[in-house]
Amino acid sequence: MTTAPARIRVLVVEDDPVAADAHALYVGRVPGFTVAGIAHSRAEAYRALERTPVELILLDLYLPDGHGLHLLRALRAAGHSADVIAVTSARDLSVVREGVSLGVVQYVLKPFTFATLRDRLDRYAAFRATAGEAAGQDEVDRALATLRTPGPAALPKGLSAPTLEAVTRTLRDADGGLTAAEAGAAVGISRITARRYLEHLVTEGRAARSPRYGQVGRPELQYRWIRSGR
């Protein structure tokens, strides 16, 4: 009888409770991973790691009690060796370089979809699965290449990246949400086409839909952007 491989334990560190729950939900949906805990600050994260060792930290870099890399530096000084995937809106490449030196293996920029995080986690799991002694430089290169992303995930048939970007920007800027007709009018596409893009954003976890009740007739669906952090 074979023993199932141990799941990779993940600590989610994110100050926004809604975003933290969403990230934990995403992690739980990826085979081979399990959420060991959620922390909303540097102090909570440090205490959580003292109680429960993990293999991977999903780390927001902007925390209420200091920068995420300061937490990571303290963890390294204390002997914690968990790998890190930074989940952040930070685009400063000097921060990226410092993170790499401290053991950040991947960066995921907010806002992101479940498919994006799933890809990073799958690549991380494949990297961890490499074992033994490399026969040469090519094998070392192949092992490191598993962490790299070749390009953006393909869109469903019939959807285009420029139009998706336009619909996304329109929905993100609409404080009260939009119907498909309103989004289509703003972007310059039909209501039916706009609805396909909006439904794609819902599937990816970037938007939510709810009925909008008017004066007469059936309610329309209203879409709103899910704000998952800074």
Side-chain angles (χ1 to χ4, degrees):
M1 182 177 177
T2 58
T3 303
R7 290 190 291 174
I8 296 170
R9 295 167 296 182
V10 181
L11 175 66
V12 175
V13 183
E14 163 65 58
D15 70 318
D16 182 340
V18 174
D21 289 344
H23 298 170
L25 180 64
Y26 282 176
V27 171
R29 289 171 59 188
V30 181
F33 291 83
T34 184
V35 177
I38 296 176
H40 301 298
S41 67
R42 284 176 56 189
E44 281 187 30
Y46 200 93
R47 289 194 297 269
L49 290 168
E50 289 292 295
R51 295 191 304 267
T52 307
V54 301
E55 287 74 46
L56 181 65
I57 303 171
L58 209 61
L59 179 64
D60 180 20
L61 295 188
Y62 294 121
L63 298 170
D65 51 352
H67 201 279
L69 291 186
H70 297 165
L71 166 65
L72 186 51
R73 193 177 295 110
L75 292 174
R76 295 296 184 244
H80 292 281
S81 59
D83 292 318
V84 174
I85 293 179
V87 178
T88 179
S89 60
R91 288 167 169 78
D92 186 339
L93 291 180
S94 64
V95 173
V96 173
R97 288 195 299 271
E98 183 180 0
V100 169
S101 72
L102 292 170
V104 174
V105 297
Q106 291 274 15
Y107 274 82
V108 181
L109 292 178
K110 297 178 179 177
F112 58 89
T113 66
F114 168 65
T116 297
L117 183 61
R118 179 184 59 201
D119 176 75
R120 301 306 193 277
L121 293 177
D122 285 343
R123 289 176 179 279
Y124 173 73
F127 176 72
R128 280 185 61 88
T130 57
E133 185 173 342
Q137 183 67 50
D138 287 348
E139 195 167 339
V140 172
D141 291 342
R142 283 196 298 273
L144 292 174
T146 59
L147 286 171
R148 304 187 190 119
T149 306
L155 289 172
K157 186 177 180 179
L159 301 190
S160 73
T163 304
L164 177 60
E165 182 179 352
V167 172
T168 299
R169 184 171 57 250
T170 299
L171 185 62
R172 192 169 53 225
D173 293 343
D175 292 333
L178 293 171
T179 65
E182 291 167 342
V187 175
I189 56 179
S190 71
R191 176 184 63 81
I192 294 174
T193 300
R195 183 170 182 178
R196 290 189 62 204
Y197 284 93
L198 292 166
E199 287 294 328
H200 173 71
L201 292 174
V202 171
T203 300
E204 291 294 312
R206 301 166 71 185
R209 75 168 90 80
S210 59
R212 178 196 283 181
Y213 294 95
Q215 297 295 324
V216 191
R218 297 174 59 186
E220 290 184 280
L221 287 176
Q222 177 174 278
Y223 300 84
R224 61 178 178 79
W225 182 254
I226 296 176
R227 305 187 186 279
S228 60
R230 293 175 300 274

